Structure formats: structure tokens, C-alpha cells
């Protein structure tokens, strides 16, 4: 299914409200992962990027990209939404980096263009992974890494749509997650653990780590209500995959 037009429309519509609500948290300091803004210094997922060619898939307002550019990476920020790219352009720091409009499932780059492709709830949450992962693998050079953070199947399976919160009750089938309707045809994507392994290995990638970010007690979730409030301290809310191209 082609969710590109609907996802582009959705993000153009919500960009301004999204940045108003979330930028103060996700843009506050460099290298914060996910819904709980856990520092990469605690998770050790990305490593040193100095001098590396880096692509952020679904960069939004570029909170991550601008940080890595300032650290000396040669960064490209790709996003589907022109409104999000405008926000990234406005928020760019002294170190300029190029922004490209495009879709994670149809990357407009040659093979072997990057040393690191990454995203945090970006293109690998909003494009079909069976298309986007091979694209990411294609544009990586040998030894290059694909690192990305997505919601966990636990989190999605326990999400109660009617109550708009994550619960301790299974609300839908684990094996039926696949696509999540985000309204008006917009779609996000969720794989089972087994399907992530299949898609990553199928694209020729080696899985180096699967980090399960665990927020400290009392860390707020900037995006979703959870019941109980310490849900993500008890169960994994996110999956942070660390892979490389041999
Ligand atoms: C939740 S934001 C992630 C960006 C940033 N890490 C953040 O947390 O705000 C999701 C981003 O993915 C972008 N996006 C949606 N579908 C996409 C696609 N198919 N390819 C690339 N980017 C996409 C959206 O425009 C949006 O900027």
C-alpha cells in the first residue's frame, strides 16, 4: 500500500502543533532518544559520528540532525513533509546541513552514500519496513550502520484507542499489528520481533544489538499517557535496533 501522500498530508497538517508541543522537550539537548528523551550517552546506540556521512530518515524539525552536524558529521536530513522541513530549516544552527524532501521507501540517493543511516520514530515508523529497510541498506557503504528507534509491539498491543492510553491489558493481536491507521489514510507501521529480524537480515544487515530503552522511575512520556505512569519502567516501550552492513 502507498501511504506516502496521506502521511505527507498528515505531517504537513500537524507539523506546527507537533513542534509547539514537543520541540521544547526533544530539542532541549542533543541526542535524546524516543518518547522519554533518554540520552544517547546512557544507551550508547550511535557512537562517534565525527567525519561520518549521516542520513536521518524522517528528520522532522532536525533536532537530531542539527546536533550531529554540530559534532562534525556530514549530515543529510530527509523528510516527507515540507512543513517539517521548513521547521528544520528555521531551527538549523550555525552548522548548516542539506535537507531533502523524500520518502524512506524511495530514497533518492546512490548506493554507498552514507556511513550511518538512523532515525528516531522517523521513516522506519512511517514507511513500510519491508521497503524502507532495503533502501537504507542500499545507500549504506560496507561497514555502515543502520540504527533506529521504534515503538515496541508491547506498547502497541497494549494501547487502548478508546481511552487514548497504554494499559496493562492486551488490546489487539500481536500478530495483527502490521499497519496502524493514523486517520485519513495516514499509516504508521509496526512489525513483530520476528518480522523485524527477517526484514533486517533479508536486507543483508547484521544485527549488533537490540536496546530496550528503560526510563528511570518518574521520567515523563512526552507523547502518550500510560496507565500505570511507570509503565515503561516495567515493560519495554521502544526498540532501538543497532545493525551494520557487512
Ligand atoms: C515523529 S517524527 C520523527 C522526527 C523526530 N525524530 C521527532 O521525534 O520529532 C516523524 C517524521 O517522519 C516523517 N515521515 C513520515 N512518513 C515518512 C516517510 N515515508 N519517509 C520519510 N519521512 C517520513 C514525518 O514527516 C515526520 O517528520
Amino acid at each position: 500500500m502507498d501511504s506516502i501522500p496521506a502521511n505527507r498530508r498528515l505531517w504537513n497538517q500537524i507539523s506546527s502543533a507537533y513542534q509547539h508541543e514537543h520541540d521544547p522537550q526533544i530539542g532541549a539537548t542533543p541526542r535524546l532518544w524516543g518518547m522519554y528523551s533518554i540520552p544517547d550517552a546512557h544507551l550508547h546506540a550511535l557512537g562517534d559520528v565525527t567525519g561520518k556521512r549521516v542520513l536521518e530518515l524522517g528528520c522532522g524539525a532536525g533536532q537530531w540532525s542539527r546536533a550531529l552536524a554540530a559534532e562534525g558529521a556530514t549530515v543529510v536530513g530527509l523528510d516527507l513533509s515540507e512543513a517539517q522541513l521548513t521547521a528544520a530549516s528555521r531551527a538549523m544552527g550555525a552548522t548548516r546541513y542539506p535537507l531533502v524532501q523524500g520518502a524512506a521507501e524511495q530514497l533518492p540517493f546512490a548506493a554507498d552514500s552514507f556511513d550511518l543511516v538512523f532515525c528516531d520514530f522517523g521513516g522506519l515508523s512511517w514507511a513500510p519496513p519491508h521497503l524502507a529497510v532495503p533502501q537504507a541498506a542500499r545507500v549504506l557503504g560496507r561497514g555502515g550502520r543502520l540504527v533506529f528507534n521504534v515503538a515496541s509491539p508491547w506498547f502497541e498491543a497494549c494501547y487502548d484507542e478508546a481511552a487514548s492510553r497504554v494499559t496493562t491489558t492486551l488490546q489487539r493481536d500481536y500478530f495483527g499489528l502490521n499497519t496502524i491507521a493514523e486517520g485519513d489514510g495516514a499509516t504508521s507501521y509496526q512489525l513483530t520481533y520476528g518480522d523485524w529480524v527477517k526484514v533486517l537480515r533479508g536486507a543483508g544487515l547484521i544485527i549488533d544489538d537490540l536496546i530496550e530503552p528503560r526510563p528511570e522511575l518518574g521520567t515523563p512520556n512526552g507523547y502518550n499517557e500510560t496507565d500505570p505512569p511507570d509503565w515503561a519502567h516495567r515493560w519495554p516501550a521502544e526498540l532501538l535496533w543497532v545493525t551494520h552492513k557487512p
Side-chain angles (χ1 to χ4, degrees), residues 6-240:
N7 283 359
R8 179 176 165 207
R9 246 190 336 268
L10 171 74
W11 280 97
N12 281 339
Q13 277 162 10
I14 67 173
S15 172
S16 165
Y18 177 92
Q19 296 306 336
H20 183 74
E21 187 175 351
H22 298 296
D23 181 66
Q25 180 189 346
I26 65 180
T29 53
R31 287 189 180 230
L32 299 176
W33 285 111
M35 297 182 280
Y36 291 86
S37 292
I38 301 180
D40 189 52
H42 297 178
L43 299 175
H44 308 290
L46 224 51
D48 183 11
V49 297
T50 314
K52 298 258 163 58
R53 302 168 298 165
V54 176
L55 171 65
E56 182 173 8
L57 284 181
C59 63
Q63 289 91 354
W64 268 98
S65 281
R66 73 167 180 254
L68 301 191
E71 291 175 29
T74 303
V75 178
V76 175
L78 173 128
D79 203 282
L80 189 56
S81 151
E82 54 269 31
Q84 290 282 76
L85 290 168
T86 300
S89 175
R90 268 200 305 266
M92 212 175 270
T95 313
R96 314 295 294 173
Y97 63 91
L99 295 167
V100 173
Q101 186 167 22
E105 53 270 67
Q106 300 170 358
L107 290 180
F109 306 106
D112 188 10
S113 295
F114 298 99
D115 306 307
L116 170 67
V117 176
F118 83 103
C119 60
D120 188 13
F121 283 84
L124 289 175
S125 301
W126 291 90
H130 73 280
L131 300 178
V133 168
Q135 284 288 302
R138 180 182 65 76
V139 302
L140 280 172
R142 288 182 66 160
R145 302 196 312 143
L146 172 64
V147 178
F148 61 97
N149 191 30
V150 295
S152 79
W154 292 69
F155 192 86
E156 299 291 3
C158 291
Y159 191 82
D160 182 343
E161 289 287 347
S164 299
R165 70 170 74 104
V166 180
T167 67
T168 52
T169 308
L170 291 172
Q171 305 285 342
R172 56 181 125 175
D173 291 357
Y174 170 79
F175 289 115
L177 290 170
N178 302 323
T179 57
I180 297 171
E182 303 282 356
D184 292 331
T187 307
S188 64
Y189 296 86
Q190 177 64 58
L191 301 187
T192 63
Y193 288 88
D195 283 346
W196 275 119
V197 170
K198 269 195 206 75
V199 166
L200 290 165
R201 285 171 53 88
L205 297 169
I206 306 289
I207 298 168
D208 297 309
D209 203 355
L210 171 55
I211 300 170
E212 298 176 297
R214 186 185 188 197
E216 296 295 333
L217 273 176
T219 309
N221 182 320
Y223 291 80
N224 293 285
E225 203 179 312
T226 67
D227 180 14
D230 66 348
W231 193 99
H233 189 71
R234 300 171 66 185
W235 297 281
E238 298 174 351
L239 306 181
L240 181 41

